Each structure stands twice: as structure tokens, then as C-alpha cells.
Amino acid sequence: MELQERQVRRRLEEDFEPHIDLSDYQHHPEDEQAKARTTRALAALTVAAHAMVSVEDACASVVDESSDQGIDAIGISAARREVYVVQTKTSSGGPSPTEVMKFAHGIRRLLDWDWDALGPKARRRRGEIEEALTDARVIAIFSYLGTQGPNKDASRLSTQLTHEVNSAGDILEFHYEGLRENYERRNIASGLSSPDSELTFDRWVTMSDYRSEIMGIVPGEQLATITDQFSERLFDKNIRAILRSTETNEVLDETLRNSPSDFWYYNNGITIVANSIGCSRTNPRSSNETFSLKGLSVVNGAQTCGALSRALRSNLPLDDVHVTVRVISTAGHPEDFEKQVTRYTNTQNQVSNREFVALDPYQQELSDILLAEAIQYSFRTGQALDDEEYDFAFDLEEATRALSCWSGVDNATRAKREIGRMWADLNASPYLELFPRDLNAATMYNAVRFWRYFRDSYNAYGREREHRVKNIVKNSEFMATALFMQWARANGAEFTNIDWDVATFIDGCAEQVRVLSECVVDRHERENPGGFAMSFFKNQQKVEHFARTVRTDFQSQLGVSASSA
């Protein structure tokens, strides 16, 4: 055994193996348990090194078992918008074609949401993983302890997988990481303690004493570097889900790309809680001063930090980006002080694009018209829907999705990808395309009902088929709704009639819905064979072309059906 391998195995044994779950191996011989423990520990080390999560969280990401389809761990970094899919090998030699083929097969199953083919450990995390996959890059990692790289056949298999999955968009990377890489990061566990860092303020003020609180201006590149360094450990566990708020993320990313110098004006800043705040000077300078923060945690502003980190990793210039930062020390406060700061900074003064829709007087007019018909349209945040008091109730998000499909495939695709952008500017498109001043309230009401009934009928087709088909149908529902609305409007649909029986209309179109479903699936498998449906149906350009061909297929199939009848 090489000395480097010996040292890696020692770190796996001491740092990771004590946290590895072997409950499914309790009846196996000790030598098999030891092998499984090491294999799983290497998978956890790989996740920890990439996602920068704690040892405990990395070990919890392990999904290795007898039916794992070659996937030993699935790690998630919401801050980086990355999902890490890991296979490990602790025996000698490099990755073989058979091992790579099995791993590639498992990755396909995961991307197709074929949960029945994956093991129980992965299935238990289905909701978490599916949510992450909707807006993340997938990093496939074959991690091993050999010194040889993959042979020609193994490399060909991983290259082929990457090419096929990325045919609709660049979402998958595939890496081989052998003994050298694992030796370099063998001590990762010692660097995963509570984050400590220095922060230099261009300008700062304090209400009493800098050791208690600071508020000031910090260069964006500093925050980007810290976020990239600590990743998930930088954020309080109570707010990590905020990192997946697509609406805010898209706006932040666009500002950093197109107008970085305006970032400070548009951004509310971040709040950091630290165990202590220190400075090398007894009397800190009022500008360009560096403070040391022990045990820091970002409790508000996770999206801002995530956007800055992504910009840094994309090599965007951050020289002109500045952020308002507030740092609060927990020293001298009650034990639950950090939890209270986290709670209140994330529930007060949170304003998104949706809130500004309430400023549009036409929304109130639409609501009043429908209210007279015992229909509730809720366009204000926090206004609860009441299905018992009203004959029908729906909110702004559902209206936006339905009207996006009503207006055409382009807006339907935009709404699927980033619904918050549909409300970004009340005086411009796409908002005015969805809510024009002559929008008939009955049309909006019927579009929402059509959206509900059609999607139920359309997705029923997918539920009856295997997982890849189900995945294609589910991810194409926005485009399909737009196409079927267009067909319905030319075939007797009465969207402007408040009394139109939408449910009966959809029930009477069961054959047409089935035909459309089959056209979508068949065309997808011709144009995106082996590809990832989730990314395909977010690609504006591809969906625009795809929808035209599906429309032609659909009309042709209906013509054949009519002739046969």
C-alpha cells in the first residue's frame, strides 16, 4: 500500500467512519462491514470536499446500498446550485468500464426521477433532491484510491453520458478523482469547523461598541470568496431553503452580470451573526478596517451571498460591487438570541416582485368583477383563499401561470423557468402581455380552470407510463397547456363566457389530450434522446422549435384519427 493511500485511509477511519450508518450491514461478516464503511466514508469525504458541508451532513448524504444503481452519495450545495452524485472505489486500480457504465446508468435514472429503480435511501430524500435538481448543475464524481486513470473505454462512456445529457443545455459535469486528489483533501474534516473569517469594511459605524455590532460597506468580492470557501456551513440551517428562491436569484444574477455598480442600490444587504467581533487595533479606523469574526453565520441575505459566489465562479468582475453588511455579536446575549435574529430578519420587510403587483389598480378591478360572481381572486400576498365561502378561488401565481400559457409558448416557458420575472416590471412585457388593460376577467377565470383540468388530464397519461415518460410529461406541462389552449380556442372553447363548463370540455377532449401527450413524448425522444427533460423544457429556443414540430405532429395525428373514424 502506498504511503499516501495509507494516510487517506487513516483520515477516513478517524474522521468519517465513526459517523457512517451501517445498519443495513449488521448481519454481514466484519470484513464486509469494514469494506462498506470505508467505501461510504470515501463518498462522504468527496461530498464534504465539494459541498463544504460538515462531516455529519456529508455522511448523511451517503445512499450506498445493494440497490443503489452505482450511486454511493448525493450531496447538495444550494449556495453553489450544485448537486454532487458520487461513486467510490477503494480497491486497487482505476475505474473500469463496467463500473462507469453502472454509474452512468444510475445517473440517468436519477435525472429521469426513476425513484423506483433507486434504493430506499435515495427515495427517502426524493423531495429534497428533486427540488435541488430543478435549478442546479449536476457534478458526477467517480472517486477512488488508485493511481491509474480510467482506461479508454471507461472515458468514452462518461464522455458519451455527458454529451447526451447536455444536448439540451450544459447541466452535467463528470470528473474522475483518484488517490492524488483524495490525498490533497484528506484533512478536509479539520477545516469544517465553525467558520471564522476576516472582513474588511470600506466604511462602518456602530451604535455602541464595535465588539457588539457593526454596520457598513463591504466589497462584494470578499463576500463571494467567503461564501465559496465555506459554502453551506456559512448559512444558518433555518434559512438554507431561501437559497433556492429562483425569483430573487435570477434578479440578483442579472444585476451582477449587467449592472454591477448598481448592485448596492438595489440590494438590501446581509446580516451576519458571530460569536465574537475582534480587531487588531484598540481604536479601529472608520474606513478600510479589518475585523475578525469568530463562528460567523449569515442569517439574512443567503441569496445575495449565493449570487456573489456564482458570479465569482463564473469569472464575472466584482470590482464595482459593494454590499451593506450588518454584523451582530451573540456575546452577552441569551442562548436563543441568534435564533431570534434569524427569525425576525427573515420575516420582516421581505419584498419580492409579487408584492408590487398589488400596486396595479387593474388587479383590484379584476378581483372586484369576479367577486360579484362569487369567485375569489387573491392577488395580494398573505390573502388566504377560501374555497368554502366562494364557488371558486385562485391566486396571482396560478393566474400568472395560466395566462402565460394563454399568451403562448414563449411566456409559458418563461413562467416555468422563473415565474417571478413575469412581475418584474408592471409597465412592460411580459407583465402587460399577461395582464393587458383589456383583459376579460372571465378569460382569466376560465384560463385558470383550464390550467387545472388540463394538467390533471395530461399528467394522468404520464402516471400510467414508466418513469422517463412521466418525467417528460410533467416537465412539458406548461408548453402542452399553451398548445392545447391554442387548439381549444379554435375548436369551440368559450373562454370569455363566465358560465363555460371547462371540466366537461376537457373531459370531452380525452382523446385529443392523449394524442398530444404521445406527440410530446415521441418528439422529445427523437430530438432529445437520453437527455434531461427538466432542462430541455426550460430552454426557450429549443422549446420554441419543439412546440412548432409538436403542433404539426398533433394536427397530423388528429387528422389521421378523424379519417379513421
Side-chain angles (χ1 to χ4, degrees):
M1 180 185 297
E2 288 196 13
L3 190 58
Q4 288 183 330
E5 181 183 346
R6 175 180 172 179
Q7 293 177 13
V8 171
R9 288 181 179 273
R10 181 185 304 148
R11 294 271 52 85
L12 293 175
E13 179 182 2
E14 295 180 7
D15 298 338
F16 290 89
E17 291 187 16
H19 305 283
I20 292 297
D21 176 20
L22 279 183
S23 56
D24 56 326
Y25 263 77
Q26 56 185 331
H27 299 303
H28 289 241
E30 176 55 36
D31 61 330
E32 292 184 15
Q33 291 188 35
K35 181 179 179 180
R37 189 181 295 111
T38 302
T39 297
R40 295 176 181 184
L42 179 58
L45 181 147
T46 303
V47 169
H50 284 272
M52 295 302 294
V53 295
S54 68
V55 169
E56 292 79 3
D57 286 347
C59 291
S61 75
V62 173
V63 296
D64 172 57
E65 55 192 329
S66 59
S67 56
D68 60 25
Q69 296 291 332
I71 298 176
D72 294 329
I74 303 173
I76 298 171
S77 171
R80 295 176 177 175
R81 287 199 210 170
E82 293 178 344
V83 175
Y84 309 99
V85 185
V86 180
Q87 182 183 29
T88 54
K89 176 179 180 177
T90 55
S91 58
S92 60
S96 71
T98 301
E99 291 165 332
V100 174
M101 181 180 294
K102 183 179 180 181
F103 188 33
H105 180 73
I107 293 170
R108 290 187 186 282
R109 295 296 192 190
L110 178 67
L111 297 183
D112 282 334
W113 295 6
D114 189 356
W115 297 102
D116 289 343
L118 300 174
K121 292 181 180 178
R123 288 201 295 271
R124 283 195 290 270
R125 298 176 58 199
R126 175 176 179 172
E128 172 199 9
I129 295 169
E130 283 189 359
E131 182 182 7
L133 286 173
T134 60
D135 189 34
R137 187 173 182 79
V138 179
I139 314 295
I141 307 164
F142 196 120
S143 182
Y144 58 105
L145 296 182
T147 57
Q148 299 176 346
N151 63 27
K152 184 178 180 180
D153 290 335
S155 295
R156 179 181 53 81
L157 288 168
S158 55
T159 300
Q160 180 181 354
L161 171 72
T162 305
H163 177 74
E164 291 178 357
V165 171
N166 290 339
S167 61
D170 191 14
I171 62 167
L172 174 68
E173 294 180 18
F174 197 112
H175 301 297
Y176 293 98
E177 298 178 353
L179 179 60
R180 181 175 61 83
E181 289 82 5
N182 283 302
Y183 177 77
E184 290 175 353
R185 63 190 179 212
R186 68 193 185 284
N187 295 316
I188 184 67
S190 63
L192 294 175
S193 57
S194 182
D196 299 335
S197 185
E198 292 186 338
L199 208 57
T200 300
F201 285 75
D202 289 349
R203 296 178 180 82
W204 65 277
V205 294
T206 181
M207 292 180 62
S208 56
D209 187 314
Y210 74 86
R211 288 164 289 196
S212 176
E213 74 280 320
I214 303 170
M215 185 173 73
I217 309 299
V218 173
E221 188 167 1
Q222 276 194 75
L223 296 171
T225 302
I226 291 174
T227 304
D228 200 52
Q229 177 184 358
F230 296 116
S231 191
E232 304 299 283
R233 291 178 299 124
L234 188 62
F235 306 106
D236 186 282
K237 290 183 179 180
N238 295 312
I239 66 165
R240 286 181 184 172
I242 294 176
L243 287 160
R244 301 190 179 101
S245 175
T246 304
E247 173 192 337
T248 303
N249 285 337
E250 293 293 342
V251 174
L252 290 171
D253 291 344
E254 183 176 328
T255 303
L256 288 170
R257 282 194 304 269
N258 300 327
S259 52
S261 60
D262 293 331
F263 192 81
W264 183 82
Y265 297 102
Y266 300 160
N267 188 265
N268 290 329
I270 69 172
T271 299
I272 294 173
V273 171
N275 294 336
S276 66
I277 305 172
C279 185
S280 60
R281 289 184 174 82
T282 305
N283 296 307
R285 299 172 300 193
S286 60
S287 62
N288 297 319
E289 187 57 272
T290 300
F291 295 92
S292 58
L293 311 180
K294 299 292 185 181
L296 70 117
S297 176
V298 173
V299 298
N300 181 264
Q303 293 160 329
T304 296
C305 291
L308 290 167
S309 175
R310 290 190 297 275
L312 181 70
R313 292 163 71 85
S314 299
N315 296 316
L316 292 178
L318 297 175
D319 298 346
D320 297 329
V321 177
H322 293 82
V323 181
T324 300
V325 176
R326 182 171 58 151
V327 183
I328 303 172
S329 172
T330 61
H333 289 284
E335 185 176 340
D336 66 344
F337 178 69
E338 180 176 347
K339 184 181 296 183
Q340 295 302 317
V341 173
T342 302
R343 175 187 174 188
Y344 289 112
T345 56
N346 284 285
T347 55
Q348 297 182 14
N349 301 319
Q350 297 296 303
V351 181
S352 66
N353 287 341
R354 175 175 177 163
E355 273 68 47
F356 290 109
V357 174
L359 301 177
D360 181 2
Y362 195 60
Q363 292 287 341
Q364 186 64 57
E365 184 177 333
L366 292 168
S367 179
D368 291 343
I369 292 172
L370 293 175
L371 192 63
E373 301 291 334
I375 301 166
Q376 182 190 19
Y377 169 47
S378 171
F379 62 92
R380 289 189 175 90
T381 300
Q383 185 179 8
L385 297 178
D386 192 339
D387 291 307
E388 295 184 2
E389 180 178 351
Y390 299 97
D391 294 342
F392 191 85
F394 63 100
D395 62 11
L396 175 65
E397 283 200 21
E398 196 169 22
T400 301
R401 292 188 175 97
L403 290 172
S404 294
C405 294
W406 165 266
S407 67
V409 170
D410 285 354
N411 278 332
T413 306
R414 291 189 185 98
K416 171 179 172 58
R417 189 176 66 245
E418 43 186 339
I419 189 171
R421 295 291 298 277
M422 312 305 283
W423 311 310
D425 188 343
L426 304 188
N427 298 308
S429 295
Y431 179 78
L432 289 181
E433 294 179 33
L434 309 189
F435 299 98
R437 302 304 89 169
D438 60 350
L439 174 64
N440 188 312
T443 298
M444 179 173 70
Y445 162 61
N446 284 325
V448 171
R449 291 197 296 161
F450 193 101
W451 160 260
R452 289 188 187 181
Y453 296 132
F454 171 78
R455 285 171 62 243
D456 285 345
S457 179
Y458 182 72
N459 282 303
Y461 171 83
R463 288 192 291 270
E464 298 170 356
R465 304 287 293 275
E466 52 94 9
H467 286 82
R468 179 167 174 81
V469 171
K470 180 180 179 180
N471 184 266
I472 294 168
V473 171
K474 179 62 179 175
N475 280 283
S476 65
E477 64 182 6
F478 277 79
M479 181 209 68
T481 304
L483 290 178
F484 208 76
M485 276 186 174
Q486 292 173 1
W487 178 86
R489 290 162 73 176
N491 288 272
E494 303 176 59
F495 280 92
T496 58
N497 179 5
I498 196 76
D499 297 317
W500 178 40
D501 191 343
V502 181
T504 299
F505 179 88
I506 296 295
D507 287 343
C509 297
E511 176 62 14
Q512 289 86 346
V513 174
R514 181 193 65 79
V515 171
L516 178 61
S517 303
E518 291 182 350
C519 288
V520 170
V521 173
D522 291 345
R523 177 61 61 175
H524 178 273
E525 295 303 70
R526 276 185 278 173
E527 296 193 9
N528 190 35
F532 191 18
M534 187 179 297
S535 64
F536 182 88
F537 287 104
K538 288 183 180 180
N539 187 310
Q540 196 86 29
Q541 185 176 358
K542 287 185 178 293
V543 171
E544 182 180 355
H545 168 76
F546 183 82
R548 288 197 299 269
T549 57
V550 167
R551 185 186 294 109
T552 301
D553 295 344
F554 178 54
Q555 292 171 345
S556 175
Q557 288 296 320
L558 291 183
V560 170
S561 298
S563 299
S564 299

